[in-house]
Amino acid sequence: MFKKISIFLLIMFAAPMASTLYAQDYRFEAGAGIGMSGYLGDTNKSNIYKNPGFAGGFLFRYIMDYRWALKANLYTANISGNSADGSDVFPEGYTYKFKSQLYDLGAQIEFNFFNFGIGYKYKQLHRVSPYLTAGLGATLGVCNGDSSVALSIPVGAGVKYKVSERLNLGAEFTMRKVFGDKMDGFSLDNINGIKSSAIKNTDWFSLIMVSITYEFGKKCQVCHYKD
């Protein structure tokens, strides 16, 4: 009887220890993403994906815990528009067509709806988790040889999927409000008699991104202050 009890206790204590040995937590995550960009501004007031463009770039995360992360991104995107395609009519029948290249450097905080990870069953980790994101950035727009830089605020949502212990897939949609009206060029400033400012008559652009990332930098496995 004593032998059976000993074996039972050994199994009880060994199982969680084994799962801990094979599961690892990491501090950092880096990768790349590609996707589609859209634009709202003077030449497009309603359909953000009337003239979709290509977007791509790199991202880096600092993993605070299973729910929270800080992300930095460096993305580039194409946006374009044609006032002749819209319902708005500029003064004297003026039409305007443009193509711009955007470069966006930003930082966001992310909140996962579930504890994101694998292993550690007692922590109720999930391989899939939707999340919300918001932050602050700076956007450089280059159009017809002119360039303009403005602050931007990204807000959006996404979903993460953990393929393996260190490999993740993600999909994200964000809208970015730009505190300026020159992402679509300089020719439209005050075109309707409405003078642009940091908060009035500004441009927006959106990104739909699919990303792949790799985690690195193991967290301390023996210190009690860091799980």
Side-chain angles (χ1 to χ4, degrees), residues 41-120:
D42 292 302
T43 68
N44 181 18
K45 299 293 187 180
S46 57
N47 185 357
I48 194 168
Y49 291 112
K50 178 180 290 185
N51 298 292
F54 172 81
F58 304 96
L59 63 146
F60 174 86
R61 284 189 179 97
Y62 170 64
I63 305 170
M64 302 166 65
D65 57 33
Y66 299 120
R67 289 292 185 103
W68 294 93
L70 294 174
K71 181 176 70 178
N73 72 263
L74 178 58
Y75 293 148
T76 183
N78 302 317
I79 61 171
S80 61
N82 188 347
S83 63
D85 297 334
S87 58
D88 289 349
V89 179
F90 291 155
E92 300 179 0
Y94 175 74
T95 59
Y96 180 75
K97 184 178 180 180
F98 80 95
K99 289 184 178 180
S100 293
Q101 189 71 36
L102 305 183
Y103 301 92
D104 184 78
L105 178 64
Q108 300 103 47
I109 188 166
E110 296 178 348
F111 172 71
N112 300 322
F113 281 70
F114 308 126
N115 289 338
F116 183 63
I118 57 176
Y120 303 117

Side-chain angles (χ1 to χ4, degrees), residues 179-198:
F179 288 90
D181 188 36
K182 294 183 172 62
M183 296 298 110
D184 48 11
F186 286 65
S187 301
L188 296 180
D189 190 28
N190 201 26
I191 188 67
N192 286 312
I194 303 175
K195 187 64 179 178
S196 301
S197 66

Side-chain angles (χ1 to χ4, degrees), residues 106-189:
Q108 300 103 47
I109 188 166
E110 296 178 348
F111 172 71
N112 300 322
F113 281 70
F114 308 126
N115 289 338
F116 183 63
I118 57 176
Y120 303 117
K121 290 185 178 180
Y122 69 97
K123 295 182 179 179
Q124 298 182 335
L125 301 185
H126 294 256
R127 297 183 77 133
V128 179
S129 179
Y131 66 92
L132 298 176
T133 182
L136 184 66
T139 303
L140 167 66
V142 180
C143 181
N144 299 327
D146 297 317
S147 61
S148 176
V149 178
L151 291 177
S152 59
I153 294 182
V155 179
V159 61
K160 302 173 183 177
Y161 171 68
K162 185 166 283 295
V163 180
S164 63
E165 181 182 344
R166 304 174 74 171
L167 190 65
N168 304 313
L169 294 178
E172 181 182 277
F173 169 80
T174 54
M175 287 292 299
R176 282 165 158 78
K177 176 179 173 58
V178 181
F179 288 90
D181 188 36
K182 294 183 172 62
M183 296 298 110
D184 48 11
F186 286 65
S187 301
L188 296 180
D189 190 28

Side-chain angles (χ1 to χ4, degrees), residues 198-218:
I199 60 175
K200 183 173 65 177
N201 196 31
T202 58
D203 296 324
W204 293 72
F205 72 98
S206 71
L207 298 175
I208 297 178
M209 302 292 290
V210 177
S211 63
I212 182 169
T213 57
Y214 184 78
E215 296 180 12
F216 61 98
K218 290 182 181 179

